[in-house]
Amino acid sequence: MDLSNGSGGGGGGELHNNQFYQCEENKPLLGDATEGNNNSKVAAGPCKRSLHHCGGGGMRYKLLHEGDIQVCVLKHPRTFLSKILTSKFLRRWEPHHLTLTDSSLSSATPTGYMETSLSYSSIEDLQLLAWDNAPKYCVQLSFPGGTVLLQAANSYLRDQWFHSLQWKKKIYKYRKVLTNPSRWDVVLKEIRALVDMALTSPLQDESIHQAPLHIISTLLAENSNLSTQDHENIIVAIAPLLENNHPPPDLCEFFCKHCRERPRSMVVIEVFTPVVQRILKHNMDFGKCPRLRLFTQEYILALNELNAGMEVVKKFVHSMHGPTGQCPHPRVLPNLVAVCLAAIYSCYEEFINSRDNSPSLKEIRNGCQQQNERKPPMPLRLLRAEPPTPPPLSGSPPQIVQNGTISPVPSIPISPTPPPTSLPLSPPPSVVNSSEILVELERNNNNTNAKRKVGPSGGDSEPNLIDCLLVSPAVNTLSIQLPVQADRVLGCFALILKMLSDYDDWRPALASLLQPIPFPKEALAHSKFTKELKYVIQRFAEDPRQEVHSCLLSVRSGKDGWFQLYSPGGVACDDDGELFASMVHILMGSCYKTKKFLLSLAENKLGPCMLLALRGNQTMVEILCLMLEYNIIENKDTQLQIISTLESTQVGLRMYEQLCDRQRELKELQRKGGPTRLTLPSKSTDADLARLLSSGSFGNLENLSLAFTNVTSACAEQLIKLPSLKQLNLWSTQFGDAGLRLLSEHLACLQVLNLCETPVTDAGLLSLSSMKSLCSLNMNSTKLTADTYEDLKAKLPNLKDVDVRYTEAW
């Protein structure tokens, strides 16, 4: 076959026959998107050329960026001699590794046919060739004066090259056309054609949708003076591309601007809603694209601007959760929380930057690093919740201290005499700047007002600001005065956190995310914010699941948690300790290590516990009784003070008398004597065991069998009273995790434990790691997992006899 028949002589051959194929350079760009709709094949002598269908159906291909292929270049013959020289007998193929750049087709070895790159703008025609005489798979690229043939190994690879080249060529043209627009009505048509081309392309690659979005975002960034109607038309035109793709950063900036300027536009509801829903469902890391988070934040604020705004926001949050009890999208909650935290932080950004004397996020983005470019610090105003009273009489002149900061509030131990720094604050509000703190104190001895300087160190002579506020009985919760817009933002996202805490399936993860208290200190000093946040903490405290209410405690030792912040004297406490008492109640009633928790209360929160017990709080009375019962308090004076506190109320006096009775019974129970082995009859209950142990002395009891009885974890309260117990058989009982945790705290000398066919799980079995004397452990037919088993073996060096049959560890 002679390809010269297809090339045509004198420049008028078949390759330029407009009857069969119109040159792309002569067609309007808008027509490119519909070019591939013609499936007809056009015969051209022995060589057949086809226009490939680019619709949404059929084969799908990966976009090529580079690859190996055979290349042949034919110059258009103009004389008989040149026609002979370009015949198939003299033709040769060269192997090349071609790269499809953004603007041209180039070879990794720029020699031979591909000595120079082939620009996409020079390609006049792009077609598939099917050979009659040989199964060669070629793509034909026509350029002025010649033809480039690319030969692939098979038809699939040939089609992949064809569609990739066609895509690169068209996207290059669109980038050029949309760089310098002249008429916006024409530009809008081109944008629609570009979107349609991306949607109908048979190529599958992230860049197929991202490249048009980047072109459009660049266009919008360079033409910021568009009318609002043009903005909305462009947004509607690109909406189909956003259904399965995140908007690029520049486009996010454009969307944010639209949300701020036209929050009530229907575009926000109809176009932005599915985009934001996709971001919340599929985004994995806002840190890689913070503008996605900013766009989501601005979208929620736009919803809040609608009539009944918070109801609209609530419906949106519910739509993200779904109608069932379990949200099917695991990324929604952490993404929503990240948006809320960033929005709340932004409300205090100016205060934080003023406090830390560091550039703001906006300044960093704008490249402002010089100190002389910084704006002067914004004053921080501390106000009381109640209306201010008239200012006091003039006293000694104020003193200013540099670099004052607001620090976390320490707890206050209750002592018989007030601390020497208990000086009441004067009523008027104080103004706090970024580098100075001004506090008015009233001396108790002469009733005259004096202003003392307060530094960050908080020594005896110069008390910390929060210490002064804490010890004064006249002090109420502080609040920070925010600008109106920042206050609206704060209220909106604080309410979203409240909404999130109402979903049972989201509450464990939400509690874990908020456990480190990821809010600025200024927010925790804001009464309005802490009041809204209190609802969330109450939901955590009311939740019976351990993974939820355990997050009330600090994330690590030495750091405050919600338990500390809402305790009496904490910066967030405004209810005289009611929430603190409920938190203590739920933590004591869970599967926690009771003794360890009591020790932590005695060390850090004994004062608040005694204060609430003095006010008749039953939970705190029980706490003080348990501290005495478990010998948590070693100091005799403190013990006497606790006893006096208990005897000061009727409920405390009654519980203390019951404690004394139990102590007498405990001494009798632990008195040496009685049997060394004991077996309870089957079907015995917790009450039967308690009744038996109260009948005499069991100080010598070493072996106790409760197998096949009806005892539960409640009987652990009786078992921990047996000081000599070494072997315990709980086979086929209802003894669970709560009982195991209590045993692990008090029966350190236990050597043999049978838990066969009990409902214990990993949560309780892990606590056995503290029982170092265990040498025999039966966990047959329990919910033990392999990881827990390996952990127990590593932490129990004396464990020799283990039964894990019919478990996951078997």
Side-chain angles (χ1 to χ4, degrees):
M1 185 196 75
D2 191 351
L3 189 63
S4 62
N5 293 334
S7 300
E14 185 181 281
L15 285 176
H16 299 285
N17 192 341
N18 289 336
Q19 177 183 356
F20 296 109
Y21 197 88
Q22 185 181 12
C23 177
E24 289 191 30
E25 289 295 336
N26 297 329
K27 293 189 300 181
L29 185 57
L30 191 59
D32 285 354
T34 57
E35 174 187 315
N37 291 335
N38 186 357
N39 279 332
S40 61
K41 293 186 178 181
V42 181
C47 177
K48 298 179 182 179
R49 290 173 290 186
S50 63
L51 302 182
H52 201 88
H53 177 59
C54 299
M59 295 287 290
R60 313 296 286 179
Y61 306 92
K62 176 74 174 176
L63 176 64
L64 280 175
H65 297 284
E66 58 181 341
D68 294 321
I69 200 166
Q70 297 288 324
V71 180
C72 179
V73 177
L74 303 174
K75 299 295 183 180
H76 289 171
R78 298 185 179 274
T79 65
F80 180 76
L81 179 62
S82 65
K83 201 170 187 178
I84 294 175
L85 293 176
T86 57
S87 67
K88 66 175 181 179
F89 302 105
L90 301 177
R91 206 180 311 129
R92 62 186 176 85
W93 294 89
E94 293 180 354
H96 281 274
H97 185 84
L98 299 184
T99 301
L100 285 75
T101 66
D102 290 338
S103 59
S104 63
L105 183 65
S106 60
S107 174
T109 55
T111 58
Y113 291 146
M114 298 300 298
E115 185 175 359
T116 59
S117 298
L118 182 62
S119 173
Y120 297 137
S121 61
S122 66
I123 299 176
E124 297 175 340
D125 196 3
L126 181 64
Q127 294 185 6
L128 296 174
L129 294 180
W131 298 77
D132 284 343
N133 300 333
K136 296 182 179 179
Y137 307 98
C138 293
V139 179
Q140 174 184 301
L141 286 70
S142 299
F143 63 94
T147 298
V148 176
L149 297 179
L150 304 179
Q151 181 180 322
N154 51 61
S155 62
Y156 181 85
L157 189 58
R158 176 201 62 187
D159 293 348
Q160 189 177 16
W161 274 96
F162 170 77
H163 290 298
S164 299
L165 283 166
Q166 191 179 53
W167 169 261
K168 289 284 188 177
K169 181 179 181 300
K170 290 180 178 179
I171 208 70
Y172 173 73
K173 286 186 176 182
Y174 276 110
R175 191 176 287 111
K176 288 182 62 178
V177 169
L178 295 178
T179 299
N180 298 308
S182 56
R183 293 175 50 193
W184 280 101
D185 55 340
V186 176
V187 168
L188 187 59
K189 291 180 181 179
E190 298 293 355
I191 289 176
R192 288 170 179 161
L194 174 61
V195 171
D196 186 60
M197 182 190 75
L199 294 175
T200 57
S201 173
L203 294 172
Q204 285 184 319
D205 191 86
E206 182 182 359
S207 64
I208 298 302
H209 288 170
Q210 286 295 327
L213 289 176
H214 279 288
I215 291 174
I216 296 168
S217 64
T218 302
L219 172 69
L220 294 172
E222 295 175 352
N223 297 272
S224 57
N225 56 347
L226 290 178
S227 66
T228 303
Q229 189 60 45
D230 288 333
H231 280 179
E232 295 190 354
N233 289 337
I234 293 175
I235 293 173
V236 172
I238 64 176
L241 287 180
L242 298 172
E243 291 179 1
N244 298 309
N245 298 275
H246 291 338
D250 290 340
L251 206 55
C252 286
E253 194 77 25
F254 174 71
F255 289 170
C256 289
K257 180 180 177 182
H258 190 84
C259 287
R260 288 190 292 266
E261 294 179 354
R262 298 205 64 195
R264 296 175 178 267
S265 168
M266 288 306 297
V267 168
V268 174
I269 300 296
E270 296 178 356
V271 179
F272 290 169
T273 297
V275 178
V276 173
Q277 287 176 335
R278 188 184 187 282
I279 291 172
L280 292 175
K281 289 177 182 178
H282 301 290
N283 174 69
M284 298 302 294
D285 185 9
F286 277 131
K288 294 180 179 179
C289 188
R291 294 188 186 180
L292 285 178
R293 183 187 63 205
L294 185 61
F295 168 49
T296 306
Q297 174 183 331
E298 294 294 344
Y299 167 79
I300 292 175
L301 291 174
L303 294 185
N304 193 36
E305 293 294 327
L306 302 176
N307 296 332
M310 282 314 299
E311 287 299 318
V312 179
V313 173
K314 186 174 182 179
K315 290 180 180 178
F316 173 75
V317 172
H318 182 71
S319 72
M320 296 308 306
H321 178 275
T324 61
Q326 190 76 21
C327 179
H329 305 287
R331 291 299 309 165
V332 168
L333 177 68
N335 284 335
L336 272 174
V337 172
V339 171
C340 291
L341 295 180
I344 292 170
Y345 185 93
S346 68
C347 296
Y348 300 94
E349 185 178 353
E350 293 294 338
F351 299 120
I352 295 169
N353 295 332
S354 298
R355 177 193 70 195
D356 298 337
N357 197 28
S358 59
S360 67
L361 297 178
K362 184 176 180 181
E363 289 174 332
I364 293 174
R365 286 196 296 266
N366 295 335
C368 172
Q369 299 293 339
Q370 300 298 326
Q371 185 68 25
N372 54 9
E373 298 179 13
R374 300 286 314 284
K375 295 180 180 179
M378 179 181 294
L380 175 64
R381 190 170 183 80
L382 301 183
L383 300 177
R384 301 183 195 285
E386 74 277 4
T389 55
L393 298 175
S394 59
S396 56
Q399 299 180 12
I400 304 300
V401 175
Q402 300 294 325
N403 299 325
T405 58
I406 298 179
S407 57
V409 179
S411 58
I412 322 173
I414 301 296
S415 58
T417 60
T421 57
S422 288
L423 303 176
L425 273 177
S426 55
S430 302
V431 177
V432 180
N433 288 331
S434 61
S435 59
E436 60 185 28
I437 294 182
L438 183 60
V439 182
E440 281 194 14
L441 299 177
E442 182 179 352
R443 298 187 182 278
N444 291 334
N445 51 1
N446 55 7
N447 292 328
T448 59
N449 296 328
K451 297 180 181 179
R452 299 175 54 186
K453 61 180 181 178
V454 180
S457 58
D460 292 336
S461 60
E462 296 180 355
N464 182 277
L465 170 64
I466 297 297
D467 291 334
C468 297
L469 298 176
L470 180 59
V471 298
S472 173
V475 170
N476 288 334
T477 305
L478 293 174
S479 64
I480 293 178
Q481 189 178 38
L482 294 175
V484 175
Q485 181 58 28
D487 199 60
R488 289 177 63 85
V489 173
L490 181 69
C492 175
F493 288 96
L495 284 171
I496 290 179
L497 290 177
K498 291 174 64 176
M499 297 175 197
L500 299 180
S501 68
D502 285 331
Y503 292 94
D504 290 339
D505 60 317
W506 277 353
R507 205 173 297 132
L510 179 62
S512 178
L513 290 170
L514 297 186
Q515 185 178 12
I517 313 183
F519 301 104
K521 292 181 287 185
E522 286 78 5
L524 298 175
H526 193 165
S527 60
K528 180 179 179 180
F529 176 71
T530 53
K531 187 175 182 180
E532 297 289 353
L533 198 61
K534 182 180 177 181
Y535 177 87
V536 180
I537 306 306
Q538 282 178 328
R539 298 293 285 163
F540 296 162
E542 294 167 358
D543 198 296
R545 291 169 291 184
Q546 179 186 343
E547 63 267 29
V548 178
H549 55 246
S550 65
C551 294
L552 296 170
L553 298 173
S554 59
V555 69
R556 62 180 181 270
S557 59
K559 182 177 175 63
D560 282 346
W562 297 113
F563 182 74
Q564 285 80 14
L565 259 63
Y566 280 92
S567 65
V571 292
C573 181
D574 61 351
D575 57 0
D576 294 331
E578 292 181 9
L579 178 57
F580 172 74
S582 64
M583 287 192 281
V584 172
H585 178 78
I586 190 68
L587 290 170
M588 284 297 299
S590 67
C591 294
Y592 258 96
K593 293 184 177 181
T594 306
K595 196 170 184 179
K596 182 178 180 180
F597 183 58
L598 288 174
L599 280 169
S600 119
L601 282 178
E603 291 176 1
N604 303 312
K605 296 297 173 185
L606 182 58
C609 290
M610 294 176 65
L611 175 64
L612 294 177
L614 277 172
R615 297 173 179 175
N617 186 280
Q618 185 167 345
T619 298
M620 293 304 163
V621 170
E622 293 175 356
I623 291 295
L624 295 182
C625 288
L626 285 174
M627 287 181 180
L628 294 176
E629 188 171 2
Y630 291 161
N631 295 319
I632 301 296
I633 306 297
E634 297 180 356
N635 186 278
K636 294 299 181 182
D637 291 335
T638 307
Q639 289 181 2
L640 292 175
Q641 187 173 352
I642 290 176
I643 293 172
S644 300
T645 302
L646 292 172
E647 291 177 339
S648 62
T649 61
Q650 291 185 352
V651 61
L653 181 59
R654 183 178 70 254
M655 289 189 179
Y656 179 64
E657 291 174 350
Q658 294 173 356
L659 170 62
C660 294
D661 293 338
R662 289 198 304 272
Q663 290 292 326
R664 284 191 290 269
E665 293 174 359
L666 179 62
K667 289 182 180 179
E668 177 61 26
L669 171 67
Q670 294 180 342
R671 187 166 55 86
K672 291 296 181 181
T676 57
R677 303 175 61 91
L678 183 64
T679 302
L680 246 66
S682 61
K683 308 302 180 184
S684 298
T685 64
D686 296 332
D688 296 328
L689 177 63
R691 193 177 299 109
L692 175 65
L693 294 181
S694 64
S695 62
S697 301
F698 291 91
N700 293 340
L701 186 62
E702 297 181 357
N703 189 321
L704 175 61
S705 175
L706 303 176
F708 306 103
T709 64
N710 294 330
V711 297
T712 66
S713 294
C715 75
E717 294 285 351
Q718 305 297 325
L719 299 178
I720 62 176
K721 298 175 182 178
L722 302 172
S724 303
L725 192 62
K726 295 179 181 178
Q727 301 179 31
L728 179 60
N729 188 351
L730 296 168
W731 187 2
S732 191
T733 64
Q734 294 302 308
F735 198 88
D737 294 338
L740 277 187
R741 290 181 179 266
L742 200 55
L743 294 184
S744 65
E745 287 189 90
H746 297 272
L747 296 181
C749 59
L750 197 65
Q751 299 175 0
V752 179
L753 180 59
N754 189 343
L755 298 171
C756 179
E757 298 181 8
T758 58
V760 294
T761 67
D762 287 347
L765 292 169
L766 281 173
S767 65
L768 298 179
S769 59
S770 62
M771 303 177 74
K772 303 301 183 182
S773 299
L774 270 180
C775 56
S776 177
L777 180 59
N778 189 337
M779 297 176 285
N780 187 324
S781 303
T782 63
K783 296 179 180 179
L784 172 73
T785 63
D787 291 341
T788 300
Y789 177 50
E790 294 299 326
D791 189 67
L792 287 175
K793 285 196 303 182
K795 294 181 179 179
L796 297 176
N798 297 322
L799 193 60
K800 299 176 182 178
D801 183 15
V802 186
D803 188 351
V804 293
R805 290 175 296 171
Y806 308 106
T807 67
E808 291 185 16
W810 189 28

